[in-house]
Amino acid sequence: MQLKGKFMINQCERIKTLNEEMLKDPNENTYTIIAHTNEELGEFSTAVCVEDGSSVKGYKELDESSVSEAIDLLICTMSLYYVRGGETKNIASMMDKKLNKWEKKMEPKNEH
């Protein structure tokens, strides 16, 4: 396995471990993780608006870039994956399956 692959597996395992620790708090569960995810999506959206000069949120000052906020969103999404029973060992194959499906949708339709 390549170094980058091992690094990503280690990062996923860190998310899983931190998620398990967080879930020891009886107030944390799937629904609170969904709320955290929605909050991060909102922060990502605001950052995009500011960076793109939108008149909607373009006046705000950013604490983090949209790229940084996307990582927060990814971490929350991975937490949802784990809280619902996902396993690190299955990420690559499941992602490959989903990417193949997306790729197939992108193929031009053959018209007859």
Side-chain angles (χ1 to χ4, degrees), residues 42 44-62:
F44 171 78
S45 298
T46 297
V48 168
C49 287
V50 171
E51 291 169 356
D52 291 354
S54 167
S55 59
V56 176
K57 298 273 187 178
Y59 61 88
K60 288 194 168 197
E61 299 251 345
L62 293 180

Side-chain angles (χ1 to χ4, degrees), residues 22-23 25-36 80 83:
M22 179 185 71
L23 290 169
D25 180 340
N27 296 313
E28 294 289 347
N29 55 45
T30 300
Y31 301 106
T32 60
I33 298 171
I34 290 170
H36 297 308
L80 286 170
V83 77

Side-chain angles (χ1 to χ4, degrees), residues 56-105:
V56 176
K57 298 273 187 178
Y59 61 88
K60 288 194 168 197
E61 299 251 345
L62 293 180
D63 294 330
E64 296 183 53
S65 69
S66 61
V67 171
S68 179
E69 294 295 355
I71 296 297
D72 291 341
L73 187 55
L74 178 61
I75 291 169
C76 285
T77 303
M78 292 300 300
S79 293
L80 286 170
Y81 172 78
Y82 286 120
V83 77
R84 302 311 297 172
E87 297 285 337
T88 301
K89 66 182 180 184
N90 298 328
I91 292 172
S93 63
M94 291 179 76
M95 191 171 288
D96 192 50
K97 182 179 177 182
K98 293 293 187 174
L99 288 171
N100 287 341
K101 183 178 175 181
W102 185 15
E103 195 172 48
K104 190 163 181 72
K105 286 182 180 181

Side-chain angles (χ1 to χ4, degrees), residues 4-18:
K4 288 180 185 177
K6 286 181 184 178
F7 176 77
M8 288 306 296
I9 288 171
N10 288 340
Q11 296 300 72
C12 288
E13 285 297 315
R14 283 181 67 197
I15 293 169
K16 183 178 180 182
T17 300
L18 290 167

